Amino acid sequence: MKRFILSVLFMIIFGLGAYAKDIIPMTPISDNVRTVGIYQVENDVTVYKFPAKEAPILYKIRYNDEEFTPAEIGANNFFALYVTKKDLAYVNVVDIVDGWVEIVYNNLTGATGWIQEDDPYKFMTWINFYTTYGKKYGLKILKGAPAFCKDLKSSPDDMAQNISTINLPKIIRLNLIRGNWALVSIMDLDKTPKTGYVRWRSDDGVRYFYPDIK
């Protein structure tokens, strides 16, 4: 019995390379605010210390639907977004230079390294990402977001008039992104359509909303 308990604890702590298949942000994203967007990665990723083929290799990362290696990083620390049924596997990006992408390979520590860019279309700025997936799936308010994120404004300004407050929306449709503001249309509990601006991101980069990918 004792051996069984120790085995379970080991699996919880070290994960044995296993992980939850879907990795989608649930709370306000306050780490890695210096990132400029995300990059879609394949299931075999070589992370270099600096952007050159002769640079020391920091990690060789491999994953599939059932496991992730190396376990000391873990999928939850590597991916910005991972949804198996949608074939979405993205990591946070800090910079892109001459065919190389600086990524955050450990979101817990903020450690960065470089991978070779195999396709420039795999990179998306945050605004492009939100516009693409937010329009497709709608947005969700992340748990723990400040109360002011639920204020629908008449214009993209903190001092603008409040049109309404989002309570329990059935859907938050994204119309457009304007800087740190998003023009959204909602259908709330009262079943009355409402349109206005919400703050999807703070001035220093903390994201309060996220595409409602399901």
Side-chain angles (χ1 to χ4, degrees), residues 10 40 61 70 109-110 113 120 129 183:
F10 183 86
Q40 188 165 19
I61 292 168
T109 65
F129 171 71
L183 180 63

Side-chain angles (χ1 to χ4, degrees), residues 99-143:
W100 289 84
V101 184
E102 185 180 9
I103 68 166
V104 181
Y105 66 81
N106 190 329
N107 291 310
L108 182 64
T109 65
T112 67
W114 295 82
I115 63 173
Q116 286 187 280
E117 182 183 48
D118 58 351
D119 185 344
Y121 291 103
K122 290 183 177 180
F123 170 72
M124 303 179 77
T125 65
W126 284 121
I127 289 180
N128 286 342
F129 171 71
Y130 272 71
T131 299
T132 300
Y133 289 101
K135 284 188 175 181
K136 184 174 183 178
Y137 297 106
L139 297 177
K140 64 179 178 181
I141 303 174
L142 296 175
K143 295 178 181 178

Side-chain angles (χ1 to χ4, degrees), residues 41-85:
V41 292
E42 303 299 329
N43 57 6
D44 192 338
V45 183
T46 301
V47 183
Y48 295 86
K49 189 172 184 178
F50 52 85
K53 280 190 175 182
E54 64 272 18
I57 294 176
L58 297 175
Y59 286 99
K60 283 186 174 292
I61 292 168
R62 295 181 176 87
Y63 66 90
N64 56 39
D65 291 352
E66 301 298 331
E67 61 181 356
F68 179 99
T69 59
E72 63 262 28
I73 293 179
N76 286 288
N77 292 327
F78 180 69
F79 292 110
L81 172 70
Y82 184 70
V83 183
T84 55
K85 66 181 180 180

